[in-house]
Amino acid sequence: MVVPDPGDMRFARLDRMADTLDARFRIPGLGWRFGWDSVLGLLPGMGDLVTIGPAIYVIYEGHRLGARKSTLARMGLNSGLDLLVGSVPIFGDIFDASFKSNKRNVALLKEDLTEQARDAARRSAHEMPHASGW
């Protein structure tokens, strides 16, 4: 388990990838953000298959960093839903632009690792012997 640190290159890389896939571009005046996941999703068949690779990488990194199985399962469900619904013409493209599964997955990962670190700190604080001084 690793505590999410903004200076940690692994988290910075995951954040950059999620931003590129889910929020790289902005529609002026509206402020709506979308990324390459949405753009590539416009390509029938191939677009969604191409973007599943980076999604799998985020889940793999989550495993390597010590995320709980329940978190990895939720990340997998997010990515699977993105792939499944995203493959539906027009509706799927709108869904892709709003669901932002990669950003969701990175947030889930950070939340899980932070919670695990807090739990570990609480456990170690309770296990430390108290100075009694007789």
PDB file of all heavy atoms in Angstrom, residues 16-27 32-42 47 51 82 93-103:
ATOM      1  N   ARG A  16      -2.259  12.462 -15.213  1.00  0.00           N
ATOM      2  CA  ARG A  16      -2.083  12.984 -16.583  1.00  0.00           C
ATOM      3  C   ARG A  16      -2.830  12.122 -17.597  1.00  0.00           C
ATOM      4  O   ARG A  16      -3.490  12.632 -18.505  1.00  0.00           O
ATOM      5  CB  ARG A  16      -0.600  13.042 -16.951  1.00  0.00           C
ATOM      6  CG  ARG A  16       0.096  14.312 -16.567  1.00  0.00           C
ATOM      7  CD  ARG A  16       1.453  14.477 -17.230  1.00  0.00           C
ATOM      8  NE  ARG A  16       2.276  13.279 -17.248  1.00  0.00           N
ATOM      9  CZ  ARG A  16       3.067  12.885 -16.243  1.00  0.00           C
ATOM     10  NH1 ARG A  16       3.139  13.602 -15.148  1.00  0.00           N
ATOM     11  NH2 ARG A  16       3.787  11.794 -16.349  1.00  0.00           N
ATOM     12  N   MET A  17      -2.719  10.805 -17.433  1.00  0.00           N
ATOM     13  CA  MET A  17      -3.385   9.906 -18.365  1.00  0.00           C
ATOM     14  C   MET A  17      -4.901  10.081 -18.275  1.00  0.00           C
ATOM     15  O   MET A  17      -5.583  10.162 -19.304  1.00  0.00           O
ATOM     16  CB  MET A  17      -3.007   8.448 -18.076  1.00  0.00           C
ATOM     17  CG  MET A  17      -3.597   7.498 -19.094  1.00  0.00           C
ATOM     18  SD  MET A  17      -3.276   5.739 -18.838  1.00  0.00           S
ATOM     19  CE  MET A  17      -1.827   5.672 -17.888  1.00  0.00           C
ATOM     20  N   ALA A  18      -5.438  10.139 -17.059  1.00  0.00           N
ATOM     21  CA  ALA A  18      -6.878  10.307 -16.884  1.00  0.00           C
ATOM     22  C   ALA A  18      -7.344  11.642 -17.454  1.00  0.00           C
ATOM     23  O   ALA A  18      -8.390  11.713 -18.112  1.00  0.00           O
ATOM     24  CB  ALA A  18      -7.241  10.197 -15.402  1.00  0.00           C
ATOM     25  N   ASP A  19      -6.575  12.700 -17.230  1.00  0.00           N
ATOM     26  CA  ASP A  19      -6.933  14.011 -17.787  1.00  0.00           C
ATOM     27  C   ASP A  19      -6.903  13.993 -19.315  1.00  0.00           C
ATOM     28  O   ASP A  19      -7.797  14.544 -19.961  1.00  0.00           O
ATOM     29  CB  ASP A  19      -5.989  15.101 -17.277  1.00  0.00           C
ATOM     30  CG  ASP A  19      -6.323  15.551 -15.875  1.00  0.00           C
ATOM     31  OD1 ASP A  19      -7.469  15.333 -15.421  1.00  0.00           O
ATOM     32  OD2 ASP A  19      -5.437  16.135 -15.215  1.00  0.00           O
ATOM     33  N   THR A  20      -5.899  13.361 -19.883  1.00  0.00           N
ATOM     34  CA  THR A  20      -5.798  13.278 -21.340  1.00  0.00           C
ATOM     35  C   THR A  20      -6.974  12.507 -21.930  1.00  0.00           C
ATOM     36  O   THR A  20      -7.544  12.906 -22.942  1.00  0.00           O
ATOM     37  CB  THR A  20      -4.468  12.602 -21.752  1.00  0.00           C
ATOM     38  OG1 THR A  20      -3.387  13.400 -21.243  1.00  0.00           O
ATOM     39  CG2 THR A  20      -4.348  12.475 -23.255  1.00  0.00           C
ATOM     40  N   LEU A  21      -7.348  11.425 -21.286  1.00  0.00           N
ATOM     41  CA  LEU A  21      -8.440  10.595 -21.801  1.00  0.00           C
ATOM     42  C   LEU A  21      -9.824  11.173 -21.534  1.00  0.00           C
ATOM     43  O   LEU A  21     -10.740  10.972 -22.331  1.00  0.00           O
ATOM     44  CB  LEU A  21      -8.352   9.191 -21.199  1.00  0.00           C
ATOM     45  CG  LEU A  21      -7.184   8.352 -21.704  1.00  0.00           C
ATOM     46  CD1 LEU A  21      -7.008   7.123 -20.829  1.00  0.00           C
ATOM     47  CD2 LEU A  21      -7.384   7.963 -23.151  1.00  0.00           C
ATOM     48  N   ASP A  22      -9.982  11.899 -20.428  1.00  0.00           N
ATOM     49  CA  ASP A  22     -11.324  12.323 -20.021  1.00  0.00           C
ATOM     50  C   ASP A  22     -11.567  13.835 -20.017  1.00  0.00           C
ATOM     51  O   ASP A  22     -12.719  14.258 -19.987  1.00  0.00           O
ATOM     52  CB  ASP A  22     -11.643  11.784 -18.620  1.00  0.00           C
ATOM     53  CG  ASP A  22     -11.799  10.277 -18.593  1.00  0.00           C
ATOM     54  OD1 ASP A  22     -12.048   9.681 -19.656  1.00  0.00           O
ATOM     55  OD2 ASP A  22     -11.686   9.695 -17.500  1.00  0.00           O
ATOM     56  N   ALA A  23     -10.506  14.645 -20.021  1.00  0.00           N
ATOM     57  CA  ALA A  23     -10.740  16.084 -19.866  1.00  0.00           C
ATOM     58  C   ALA A  23      -9.714  16.952 -20.595  1.00  0.00           C
ATOM     59  O   ALA A  23      -9.441  18.075 -20.194  1.00  0.00           O
ATOM     60  CB  ALA A  23     -10.752  16.433 -18.379  1.00  0.00           C
ATOM     61  N   ARG A  24      -9.150  16.458 -21.662  1.00  0.00           N
ATOM     62  CA  ARG A  24      -8.082  17.165 -22.380  1.00  0.00           C
ATOM     63  C   ARG A  24      -8.569  18.434 -23.068  1.00  0.00           C
ATOM     64  O   ARG A  24      -7.869  19.435 -23.141  1.00  0.00           O
ATOM     65  CB  ARG A  24      -7.455  16.214 -23.405  1.00  0.00           C
ATOM     66  CG  ARG A  24      -6.461  16.831 -24.348  1.00  0.00           C
ATOM     67  CD  ARG A  24      -5.199  17.240 -23.609  1.00  0.00           C
ATOM     68  NE  ARG A  24      -4.227  17.794 -24.496  1.00  0.00           N
ATOM     69  CZ  ARG A  24      -4.101  19.096 -24.762  1.00  0.00           C
ATOM     70  NH1 ARG A  24      -4.905  19.958 -24.207  1.00  0.00           N
ATOM     71  NH2 ARG A  24      -3.163  19.523 -25.574  1.00  0.00           N
ATOM     72  N   PHE A  25      -9.779  18.427 -23.588  1.00  0.00           N
ATOM     73  CA  PHE A  25     -10.296  19.539 -24.373  1.00  0.00           C
ATOM     74  C   PHE A  25     -11.462  20.218 -23.649  1.00  0.00           C
ATOM     75  O   PHE A  25     -12.150  19.582 -22.858  1.00  0.00           O
ATOM     76  CB  PHE A  25     -10.768  19.038 -25.746  1.00  0.00           C
ATOM     77  CG  PHE A  25      -9.728  18.230 -26.469  1.00  0.00           C
ATOM     78  CD1 PHE A  25      -9.861  16.852 -26.572  1.00  0.00           C
ATOM     79  CD2 PHE A  25      -8.615  18.827 -27.010  1.00  0.00           C
ATOM     80  CE1 PHE A  25      -8.906  16.092 -27.225  1.00  0.00           C
ATOM     81  CE2 PHE A  25      -7.642  18.081 -27.673  1.00  0.00           C
ATOM     82  CZ  PHE A  25      -7.789  16.701 -27.770  1.00  0.00           C
ATOM     83  N   ARG A  26     -11.657  21.506 -23.955  1.00  0.00           N
ATOM     84  CA  ARG A  26     -12.750  22.259 -23.348  1.00  0.00           C
ATOM     85  C   ARG A  26     -13.512  22.976 -24.451  1.00  0.00           C
ATOM     86  O   ARG A  26     -12.924  23.540 -25.369  1.00  0.00           O
ATOM     87  CB  ARG A  26     -12.202  23.275 -22.358  1.00  0.00           C
ATOM     88  CG  ARG A  26     -13.259  24.005 -21.556  1.00  0.00           C
ATOM     89  CD  ARG A  26     -12.654  24.961 -20.546  1.00  0.00           C
ATOM     90  NE  ARG A  26     -11.909  26.040 -21.160  1.00  0.00           N
ATOM     91  CZ  ARG A  26     -12.453  27.148 -21.646  1.00  0.00           C
ATOM     92  NH1 ARG A  26     -13.746  27.328 -21.607  1.00  0.00           N
ATOM     93  NH2 ARG A  26     -11.698  28.087 -22.178  1.00  0.00           N
ATOM     94  N   ILE A  27     -14.832  22.931 -24.347  1.00  0.00           N
ATOM     95  CA  ILE A  27     -15.666  23.662 -25.305  1.00  0.00           C
ATOM     96  C   ILE A  27     -15.783  25.094 -24.787  1.00  0.00           C
ATOM     97  O   ILE A  27     -16.348  25.319 -23.714  1.00  0.00           O
ATOM     98  CB  ILE A  27     -17.059  23.015 -25.451  1.00  0.00           C
ATOM     99  CG1 ILE A  27     -16.909  21.586 -25.986  1.00  0.00           C
ATOM    100  CG2 ILE A  27     -17.944  23.856 -26.355  1.00  0.00           C
ATOM    101  CD1 ILE A  27     -18.204  20.814 -26.068  1.00  0.00           C
ATOM    102  N   TRP A  32     -17.498  22.722 -20.908  1.00  0.00           N
ATOM    103  CA  TRP A  32     -17.564  21.259 -20.909  1.00  0.00           C
ATOM    104  C   TRP A  32     -16.216  20.699 -21.300  1.00  0.00           C
ATOM    105  O   TRP A  32     -15.583  21.159 -22.246  1.00  0.00           O
ATOM    106  CB  TRP A  32     -18.626  20.761 -21.878  1.00  0.00           C
ATOM    107  CG  TRP A  32     -20.023  21.095 -21.473  1.00  0.00           C
ATOM    108  CD1 TRP A  32     -20.469  21.524 -20.258  1.00  0.00           C
ATOM    109  CD2 TRP A  32     -21.171  21.031 -22.312  1.00  0.00           C
ATOM    110  NE1 TRP A  32     -21.816  21.725 -20.281  1.00  0.00           N
ATOM    111  CE2 TRP A  32     -22.278  21.423 -21.537  1.00  0.00           C
ATOM    112  CE3 TRP A  32     -21.378  20.679 -23.640  1.00  0.00           C
ATOM    113  CZ2 TRP A  32     -23.553  21.474 -22.038  1.00  0.00           C
ATOM    114  CZ3 TRP A  32     -22.651  20.725 -24.138  1.00  0.00           C
ATOM    115  CH2 TRP A  32     -23.733  21.115 -23.344  1.00  0.00           C
ATOM    116  N   ARG A  33     -15.800  19.689 -20.568  1.00  0.00           N
ATOM    117  CA  ARG A  33     -14.506  19.058 -20.851  1.00  0.00           C
ATOM    118  C   ARG A  33     -14.727  17.644 -21.367  1.00  0.00           C
ATOM    119  O   ARG A  33     -15.640  16.958 -20.926  1.00  0.00           O
ATOM    120  CB  ARG A  33     -13.647  19.058 -19.597  1.00  0.00           C
ATOM    121  CG  ARG A  33     -13.383  20.490 -19.089  1.00  0.00           C
ATOM    122  CD  ARG A  33     -12.235  20.551 -18.150  1.00  0.00           C
ATOM    123  NE  ARG A  33     -10.963  20.321 -18.794  1.00  0.00           N
ATOM    124  CZ  ARG A  33     -10.235  21.250 -19.412  1.00  0.00           C
ATOM    125  NH1 ARG A  33     -10.657  22.481 -19.469  1.00  0.00           N
ATOM    126  NH2 ARG A  33      -9.077  20.945 -19.950  1.00  0.00           N
ATOM    127  N   PHE A  34     -13.884  17.243 -22.295  1.00  0.00           N
ATOM    128  CA  PHE A  34     -13.894  15.888 -22.828  1.00  0.00           C
ATOM    129  C   PHE A  34     -12.475  15.556 -23.237  1.00  0.00           C
ATOM    130  O   PHE A  34     -11.619  16.430 -23.335  1.00  0.00           O
ATOM    131  CB  PHE A  34     -14.880  15.761 -24.009  1.00  0.00           C
ATOM    132  CG  PHE A  34     -14.525  16.609 -25.188  1.00  0.00           C
ATOM    133  CD1 PHE A  34     -13.817  16.076 -26.257  1.00  0.00           C
ATOM    134  CD2 PHE A  34     -14.881  17.955 -25.235  1.00  0.00           C
ATOM    135  CE1 PHE A  34     -13.476  16.868 -27.348  1.00  0.00           C
ATOM    136  CE2 PHE A  34     -14.553  18.747 -26.317  1.00  0.00           C
ATOM    137  CZ  PHE A  34     -13.843  18.201 -27.377  1.00  0.00           C
ATOM    138  N   GLY A  35     -12.218  14.281 -23.443  1.00  0.00           N
ATOM    139  CA  GLY A  35     -10.856  13.869 -23.765  1.00  0.00           C
ATOM    140  C   GLY A  35     -10.802  12.921 -24.939  1.00  0.00           C
ATOM    141  O   GLY A  35     -11.777  12.718 -25.664  1.00  0.00           O
ATOM    142  N   TRP A  36      -9.622  12.319 -25.101  1.00  0.00           N
ATOM    143  CA  TRP A  36      -9.401  11.419 -26.231  1.00  0.00           C
ATOM    144  C   TRP A  36     -10.312  10.200 -26.181  1.00  0.00           C
ATOM    145  O   TRP A  36     -10.635   9.629 -27.216  1.00  0.00           O
ATOM    146  CB  TRP A  36      -7.934  11.001 -26.296  1.00  0.00           C
ATOM    147  CG  TRP A  36      -7.089  12.100 -26.874  1.00  0.00           C
ATOM    148  CD1 TRP A  36      -6.203  12.888 -26.208  1.00  0.00           C
ATOM    149  CD2 TRP A  36      -7.087  12.537 -28.229  1.00  0.00           C
ATOM    150  NE1 TRP A  36      -5.655  13.797 -27.069  1.00  0.00           N
ATOM    151  CE2 TRP A  36      -6.169  13.602 -28.319  1.00  0.00           C
ATOM    152  CE3 TRP A  36      -7.772  12.139 -29.374  1.00  0.00           C
ATOM    153  CZ2 TRP A  36      -5.911  14.262 -29.516  1.00  0.00           C
ATOM    154  CZ3 TRP A  36      -7.519  12.811 -30.564  1.00  0.00           C
ATOM    155  CH2 TRP A  36      -6.604  13.852 -30.631  1.00  0.00           C
ATOM    156  N   ASP A  37     -10.732   9.788 -24.995  1.00  0.00           N
ATOM    157  CA  ASP A  37     -11.664   8.672 -24.883  1.00  0.00           C
ATOM    158  C   ASP A  37     -12.940   8.991 -25.665  1.00  0.00           C
ATOM    159  O   ASP A  37     -13.444   8.154 -26.417  1.00  0.00           O
ATOM    160  CB  ASP A  37     -11.978   8.389 -23.410  1.00  0.00           C
ATOM    161  CG  ASP A  37     -12.790   7.116 -23.201  1.00  0.00           C
ATOM    162  OD1 ASP A  37     -12.906   6.301 -24.133  1.00  0.00           O
ATOM    163  OD2 ASP A  37     -13.297   6.926 -22.087  1.00  0.00           O
ATOM    164  N   SER A  38     -13.439  10.194 -25.512  1.00  0.00           N
ATOM    165  CA  SER A  38     -14.657  10.605 -26.229  1.00  0.00           C
ATOM    166  C   SER A  38     -14.404  10.764 -27.726  1.00  0.00           C
ATOM    167  O   SER A  38     -15.226  10.366 -28.546  1.00  0.00           O
ATOM    168  CB  SER A  38     -15.179  11.929 -25.670  1.00  0.00           C
ATOM    169  OG  SER A  38     -15.476  11.804 -24.317  1.00  0.00           O
ATOM    170  N   VAL A  39     -13.262  11.351 -28.071  1.00  0.00           N
ATOM    171  CA  VAL A  39     -12.942  11.576 -29.484  1.00  0.00           C
ATOM    172  C   VAL A  39     -12.768  10.238 -30.200  1.00  0.00           C
ATOM    173  O   VAL A  39     -13.359  10.010 -31.261  1.00  0.00           O
ATOM    174  CB  VAL A  39     -11.672  12.453 -29.628  1.00  0.00           C
ATOM    175  CG1 VAL A  39     -11.241  12.547 -31.081  1.00  0.00           C
ATOM    176  CG2 VAL A  39     -11.917  13.837 -29.037  1.00  0.00           C
ATOM    177  N   LEU A  40     -11.962   9.356 -29.631  1.00  0.00           N
ATOM    178  CA  LEU A  40     -11.728   8.055 -30.262  1.00  0.00           C
ATOM    179  C   LEU A  40     -12.984   7.189 -30.264  1.00  0.00           C
ATOM    180  O   LEU A  40     -13.164   6.347 -31.133  1.00  0.00           O
ATOM    181  CB  LEU A  40     -10.577   7.326 -29.573  1.00  0.00           C
ATOM    182  CG  LEU A  40      -9.205   7.978 -29.745  1.00  0.00           C
ATOM    183  CD1 LEU A  40      -8.172   7.319 -28.849  1.00  0.00           C
ATOM    184  CD2 LEU A  40      -8.768   7.946 -31.196  1.00  0.00           C
ATOM    185  N   GLY A  41     -13.860   7.418 -29.283  1.00  0.00           N
ATOM    186  CA  GLY A  41     -15.116   6.686 -29.218  1.00  0.00           C
ATOM    187  C   GLY A  41     -16.019   6.953 -30.417  1.00  0.00           C
ATOM    188  O   GLY A  41     -16.936   6.180 -30.691  1.00  0.00           O
ATOM    189  N   LEU A  42     -15.760   8.040 -31.128  1.00  0.00           N
ATOM    190  CA  LEU A  42     -16.546   8.355 -32.330  1.00  0.00           C
ATOM    191  C   LEU A  42     -16.230   7.399 -33.482  1.00  0.00           C
ATOM    192  O   LEU A  42     -17.018   7.280 -34.413  1.00  0.00           O
ATOM    193  CB  LEU A  42     -16.298   9.799 -32.772  1.00  0.00           C
ATOM    194  CG  LEU A  42     -16.787  10.873 -31.802  1.00  0.00           C
ATOM    195  CD1 LEU A  42     -16.285  12.248 -32.235  1.00  0.00           C
ATOM    196  CD2 LEU A  42     -18.299  10.861 -31.697  1.00  0.00           C
ATOM    197  N   GLY A  47     -12.553   2.705 -31.677  1.00  0.00           N
ATOM    198  CA  GLY A  47     -12.260   3.739 -30.687  1.00  0.00           C
ATOM    199  C   GLY A  47     -12.343   3.247 -29.260  1.00  0.00           C
ATOM    200  O   GLY A  47     -11.447   3.473 -28.449  1.00  0.00           O
ATOM    201  N   THR A  51      -9.195   2.627 -26.310  1.00  0.00           N
ATOM    202  CA  THR A  51      -9.113   3.316 -25.018  1.00  0.00           C
ATOM    203  C   THR A  51      -9.242   2.378 -23.818  1.00  0.00           C
ATOM    204  O   THR A  51      -9.011   2.803 -22.688  1.00  0.00           O
ATOM    205  CB  THR A  51     -10.177   4.432 -24.921  1.00  0.00           C
ATOM    206  OG1 THR A  51     -11.471   3.864 -25.095  1.00  0.00           O
ATOM    207  CG2 THR A  51      -9.919   5.504 -25.962  1.00  0.00           C
ATOM    208  N   ASP A  82     -18.006   1.811 -19.233  1.00  0.00           N
ATOM    209  CA  ASP A  82     -17.557   2.773 -20.241  1.00  0.00           C
ATOM    210  C   ASP A  82     -17.424   2.097 -21.605  1.00  0.00           C
ATOM    211  O   ASP A  82     -17.857   2.647 -22.619  1.00  0.00           O
ATOM    212  CB  ASP A  82     -16.227   3.394 -19.810  1.00  0.00           C
ATOM    213  CG  ASP A  82     -15.754   4.487 -20.739  1.00  0.00           C
ATOM    214  OD1 ASP A  82     -16.586   5.296 -21.193  1.00  0.00           O
ATOM    215  OD2 ASP A  82     -14.539   4.548 -20.994  1.00  0.00           O
ATOM    216  N   ASP A  93     -21.410   7.987 -27.025  1.00  0.00           N
ATOM    217  CA  ASP A  93     -20.449   9.086 -27.128  1.00  0.00           C
ATOM    218  C   ASP A  93     -20.749  10.165 -26.093  1.00  0.00           C
ATOM    219  O   ASP A  93     -19.837  10.717 -25.467  1.00  0.00           O
ATOM    220  CB  ASP A  93     -20.475   9.675 -28.538  1.00  0.00           C
ATOM    221  CG  ASP A  93     -20.113   8.618 -29.583  1.00  0.00           C
ATOM    222  OD1 ASP A  93     -19.196   7.823 -29.315  1.00  0.00           O
ATOM    223  OD2 ASP A  93     -20.763   8.596 -30.639  1.00  0.00           O
ATOM    224  N   ILE A  94     -22.021  10.459 -25.890  1.00  0.00           N
ATOM    225  CA  ILE A  94     -22.420  11.427 -24.872  1.00  0.00           C
ATOM    226  C   ILE A  94     -22.087  10.883 -23.480  1.00  0.00           C
ATOM    227  O   ILE A  94     -21.568  11.603 -22.619  1.00  0.00           O
ATOM    228  CB  ILE A  94     -23.929  11.764 -24.992  1.00  0.00           C
ATOM    229  CG1 ILE A  94     -24.185  12.465 -26.324  1.00  0.00           C
ATOM    230  CG2 ILE A  94     -24.402  12.611 -23.823  1.00  0.00           C
ATOM    231  CD1 ILE A  94     -25.652  12.562 -26.694  1.00  0.00           C
ATOM    232  N   PHE A  95     -22.358   9.593 -23.274  1.00  0.00           N
ATOM    233  CA  PHE A  95     -22.045   8.946 -22.001  1.00  0.00           C
ATOM    234  C   PHE A  95     -20.542   9.026 -21.727  1.00  0.00           C
ATOM    235  O   PHE A  95     -20.124   9.378 -20.622  1.00  0.00           O
ATOM    236  CB  PHE A  95     -22.517   7.491 -22.027  1.00  0.00           C
ATOM    237  CG  PHE A  95     -22.171   6.725 -20.781  1.00  0.00           C
ATOM    238  CD1 PHE A  95     -22.951   6.853 -19.646  1.00  0.00           C
ATOM    239  CD2 PHE A  95     -21.067   5.893 -20.753  1.00  0.00           C
ATOM    240  CE1 PHE A  95     -22.624   6.151 -18.484  1.00  0.00           C
ATOM    241  CE2 PHE A  95     -20.737   5.192 -19.604  1.00  0.00           C
ATOM    242  CZ  PHE A  95     -21.519   5.321 -18.466  1.00  0.00           C
ATOM    243  N   ASP A  96     -19.720   8.688 -22.724  1.00  0.00           N
ATOM    244  CA  ASP A  96     -18.263   8.741 -22.575  1.00  0.00           C
ATOM    245  C   ASP A  96     -17.800  10.115 -22.104  1.00  0.00           C
ATOM    246  O   ASP A  96     -16.946  10.226 -21.220  1.00  0.00           O
ATOM    247  CB  ASP A  96     -17.565   8.443 -23.912  1.00  0.00           C
ATOM    248  CG  ASP A  96     -17.175   6.994 -24.070  1.00  0.00           C
ATOM    249  OD1 ASP A  96     -17.192   6.257 -23.070  1.00  0.00           O
ATOM    250  OD2 ASP A  96     -16.844   6.600 -25.197  1.00  0.00           O
ATOM    251  N   ALA A  97     -18.352  11.154 -22.715  1.00  0.00           N
ATOM    252  CA  ALA A  97     -17.922  12.513 -22.399  1.00  0.00           C
ATOM    253  C   ALA A  97     -18.315  12.923 -20.981  1.00  0.00           C
ATOM    254  O   ALA A  97     -17.634  13.741 -20.357  1.00  0.00           O
ATOM    255  CB  ALA A  97     -18.510  13.494 -23.411  1.00  0.00           C
ATOM    256  N   SER A  98     -19.385  12.349 -20.450  1.00  0.00           N
ATOM    257  CA  SER A  98     -19.838  12.763 -19.122  1.00  0.00           C
ATOM    258  C   SER A  98     -19.420  11.809 -17.991  1.00  0.00           C
ATOM    259  O   SER A  98     -19.212  12.248 -16.866  1.00  0.00           O
ATOM    260  CB  SER A  98     -21.362  12.940 -19.111  1.00  0.00           C
ATOM    261  OG  SER A  98     -21.995  11.720 -19.399  1.00  0.00           O
ATOM    262  N   PHE A  99     -19.278  10.532 -18.266  1.00  0.00           N
ATOM    263  CA  PHE A  99     -18.975   9.552 -17.222  1.00  0.00           C
ATOM    264  C   PHE A  99     -17.532   9.639 -16.721  1.00  0.00           C
ATOM    265  O   PHE A  99     -17.258   9.511 -15.537  1.00  0.00           O
ATOM    266  CB  PHE A  99     -19.291   8.141 -17.711  1.00  0.00           C
ATOM    267  CG  PHE A  99     -19.192   7.084 -16.652  1.00  0.00           C
ATOM    268  CD1 PHE A  99     -20.032   7.098 -15.553  1.00  0.00           C
ATOM    269  CD2 PHE A  99     -18.270   6.063 -16.763  1.00  0.00           C
ATOM    270  CE1 PHE A  99     -19.948   6.117 -14.570  1.00  0.00           C
ATOM    271  CE2 PHE A  99     -18.170   5.077 -15.788  1.00  0.00           C
ATOM    272  CZ  PHE A  99     -19.014   5.105 -14.697  1.00  0.00           C
ATOM    273  N   LYS A 100     -16.586   9.831 -17.625  1.00  0.00           N
ATOM    274  CA  LYS A 100     -15.168  10.008 -17.294  1.00  0.00           C
ATOM    275  C   LYS A 100     -14.637   8.889 -16.391  1.00  0.00           C
ATOM    276  O   LYS A 100     -14.184   9.115 -15.268  1.00  0.00           O
ATOM    277  CB  LYS A 100     -14.942  11.373 -16.660  1.00  0.00           C
ATOM    278  CG  LYS A 100     -15.385  12.529 -17.564  1.00  0.00           C
ATOM    279  CD  LYS A 100     -15.099  13.855 -16.966  1.00  0.00           C
ATOM    280  CE  LYS A 100     -15.618  15.020 -17.754  1.00  0.00           C
ATOM    281  NZ  LYS A 100     -15.650  14.962 -19.170  1.00  0.00           N
ATOM    282  N   SER A 101     -14.690   7.673 -16.891  1.00  0.00           N
ATOM    283  CA  SER A 101     -14.319   6.509 -16.085  1.00  0.00           C
ATOM    284  C   SER A 101     -12.865   6.534 -15.615  1.00  0.00           C
ATOM    285  O   SER A 101     -12.569   6.069 -14.510  1.00  0.00           O
ATOM    286  CB  SER A 101     -14.584   5.216 -16.855  1.00  0.00           C
ATOM    287  OG  SER A 101     -13.745   5.114 -17.984  1.00  0.00           O
ATOM    288  N   ASN A 102     -11.964   7.075 -16.406  1.00  0.00           N
ATOM    289  CA  ASN A 102     -10.553   7.084 -15.996  1.00  0.00           C
ATOM    290  C   ASN A 102     -10.323   8.007 -14.809  1.00  0.00           C
ATOM    291  O   ASN A 102      -9.609   7.660 -13.867  1.00  0.00           O
ATOM    292  CB  ASN A 102      -9.681   7.492 -17.181  1.00  0.00           C
ATOM    293  CG  ASN A 102      -9.785   6.493 -18.309  1.00  0.00           C
ATOM    294  OD1 ASN A 102      -9.334   5.362 -18.192  1.00  0.00           O
ATOM    295  ND2 ASN A 102     -10.430   6.886 -19.396  1.00  0.00           N
ATOM    296  N   LYS A 103     -10.923   9.187 -14.838  1.00  0.00           N
ATOM    297  CA  LYS A 103     -10.807  10.104 -13.704  1.00  0.00           C
ATOM    298  C   LYS A 103     -11.479   9.504 -12.464  1.00  0.00           C
ATOM    299  O   LYS A 103     -10.964   9.631 -11.353  1.00  0.00           O
ATOM    300  CB  LYS A 103     -11.399  11.474 -14.044  1.00  0.00           C
ATOM    301  CG  LYS A 103     -10.540  12.243 -15.058  1.00  0.00           C
ATOM    302  CD  LYS A 103     -11.015  13.625 -15.310  1.00  0.00           C
ATOM    303  CE  LYS A 103     -10.689  14.595 -14.230  1.00  0.00           C
ATOM    304  NZ  LYS A 103      -9.292  14.880 -13.971  1.00  0.00           N
TER     305      LYS A 103
END
